[in-house]
Amino acid sequence: MPEGVIVKALSGFYYVRTGSETVECRARGRFRLDGTSPLVGDRVEISLDAQGKGRVDKLLPRKNFFVRPAVANIDVLISVASEVEPVTDPFLIDRVTSTAEHNGCEVIICINKSDASDSRRLADIYAATPYKVIETSAVTGAGLDELAECIKGKVCAFSGNSGVGKSSIMNALEPGLDLKTGEISEKLGRGRHTTRHTELFSLGNHTYMMDTPGFSSMYIENMEASELKNYFPEFARWEDQCRFLGCVHIGERDCGVKDAVQRGEIPESRYENYRLMYQELKDKRRY
C-alpha cells in the first residue's frame, strides 16, 4: 500500500505526495466515525481504484498536531516578526513559542524587514532565551541562507501577524512558489491575510515549508496553567532558587524567577506575558 504525505486539504479532498506524484484522495468514512481526521502534514497509507483515484486508508503515527490550524508533524515553528509596520507585539511571539514547546517543536525567531529598521527591541528580548534568532530581509536576502540551513531536512511552519512577510520569505527561499503577498493597510497598520488554505511545499532534500492561514493567533490547547512555566525554558535556570517546591512564579514569596526578572536576567516582557497566559489558562479551566 503506497505511503505519502498530505500536502493539501481542500473541500473534502486530500492531496497526497507519494514520491514524485501527487494523488487526489478522499478519506475513508471510518475516520468520521472514530473522530479522527487526516491533516496536512500527516503521513498516510493510501490505495488507488481502477480509475487511479485515491483513498486515504490509514494515518501513520504523528509526532504532534495542532488544533488551530489543523496540521500535523511540524518539526520547527518559525515565528516571523517585524519592527516596522506591522510592529509585532512580543505577546504574539510568546504564545507561539509556548505552544510550540508544548507540542515538541523547535522554535526559530525570525525578525524580518531588517533592511527597514535598526531597532534591537525584539532581538534583545529573545537573545535572553534559548531560541535561535535570525534577522532577515525578504527584499535584500539578508539572513535567508542561515534560515534555509536551519530548516534543512525538516517540516517547518511559519507563524506571525499578517504583513510581517511570511509569504515573501517563503517565495525568497523557493522562488518557484510564487505565493501571493499582501500589502499593509494604511488605515489599520497591519497586513491583509493572503493565505486561504493550508499547503505543504517541498524544497527538496526532505525539506518542507507549510503555508497556513491559522498560525497568526495561536490558540493554546490542552495545557494546564501549572505546566506553562515549563514552556518558558529560560525560567529553569532560576527555579532552584525558589523557596517553594512547585513554585509557579506568580504570587509566591522568595521566587528565583521573579528575582531574575528584577535583575534583568529574564526579560520583563517575557515574564509579563507569562503572567497573562497563566491567568488565561486559569480562567479557561474555571469556566
Side-chain angles (χ1 to χ4, degrees), residues 6-280:
I6 298 177
V7 295
K8 183 169 66 172
L10 195 62
S11 301
F13 289 95
Y14 299 92
Y15 298 83
V16 179
R17 186 75 172 174
T18 59
S20 60
E21 296 183 329
T22 300
V23 181
E24 182 183 88
C25 299
R26 289 283 194 178
R28 290 190 64 176
R30 70 179 181 85
F31 290 119
R32 290 192 298 272
L33 297 177
D34 62 20
T36 61
S37 296
L39 304 176
V40 172
D42 266 328
R43 295 179 298 114
V44 296
E45 291 182 354
I46 67 171
S47 58
L48 301 175
D49 63 20
Q51 288 72 42
K53 293 292 185 180
R55 184 181 69 181
V56 176
D57 291 318
K58 182 179 180 180
L59 300 183
L60 299 179
R62 289 169 173 164
K63 172 182 179 178
N64 54 39
F65 71 96
F66 293 82
V67 176
R68 305 180 198 178
V71 296
N73 297 319
I74 303 299
D75 295 317
V76 55
L77 193 53
I78 302 166
S79 182
V80 183
S82 172
E83 293 280 19
V84 295
E85 289 190 356
V87 177
T88 300
D89 186 338
F91 182 69
L92 174 57
I93 301 175
D94 294 340
R95 288 182 74 91
V96 169
T97 61
S98 58
T99 306
E101 291 270 0
H102 180 61
N103 284 279
C105 290
E106 179 187 349
V107 174
I108 295 174
I109 309 295
C110 176
I111 304 173
N112 195 35
K113 303 186 182 181
S114 62
D115 59 297
S117 172
D118 57 5
S119 171
R120 306 298 303 169
R121 177 186 62 115
L122 294 174
D124 288 345
I125 290 172
Y126 294 98
T129 72
Y131 303 126
K132 179 75 172 177
V133 178
I134 303 176
E135 297 180 64
T136 63
S137 169
V139 175
T140 67
L144 294 181
D145 287 345
E146 182 181 6
L147 180 59
E149 186 63 29
C150 288
I151 65 174
K152 185 181 296 183
K154 301 174 182 177
V155 177
C156 63
F158 290 76
S159 72
N161 43 316
S162 300
V164 294
K166 299 183 296 293
S167 295
S168 295
I169 290 173
M170 295 176 71
N171 283 335
L173 290 172
E174 182 58 43
L177 292 181
D178 195 27
L179 298 177
K180 185 178 179 182
T181 59
E183 298 178 353
I184 304 299
S185 166
E186 292 184 5
K187 181 178 180 181
L188 299 177
R190 61 176 183 262
R192 300 181 176 92
H193 286 287
T194 55
T195 302
R196 295 291 180 257
H197 65 273
T198 300
E199 189 163 355
L200 197 61
F201 298 99
S202 173
L203 276 68
N205 297 319
H206 305 288
T207 304
Y208 291 88
M209 296 190 301
M210 186 174 287
D211 188 30
T212 167
F215 269 122
S216 60
S217 57
M218 291 303 292
Y219 185 77
I220 301 175
E221 297 276 0
N222 303 321
M223 189 189 300
E224 295 293 332
S226 59
E227 68 179 303
L228 179 64
K229 64 179 182 179
N230 300 326
Y231 308 131
F232 282 72
E234 66 269 35
F235 289 6
R237 176 184 173 189
W238 308 104
E239 288 188 325
D240 62 354
Q241 298 179 22
C242 294
R243 178 178 179 181
F244 299 103
L245 187 65
C247 181
V248 295
H249 323 309
I250 300 293
E252 300 92 339
R253 293 180 290 110
D254 301 326
C255 171
V257 169
K258 290 193 290 184
D259 289 345
V261 174
Q262 291 182 348
R263 294 193 305 269
E265 301 279 358
I266 294 174
E268 185 175 356
S269 72
R270 283 280 285 175
Y271 178 70
E272 290 305 319
N273 290 339
Y274 165 74
R275 285 171 55 92
L276 289 172
M277 281 185 274
Y278 180 88
Q279 190 59 52
E280 177 184 338

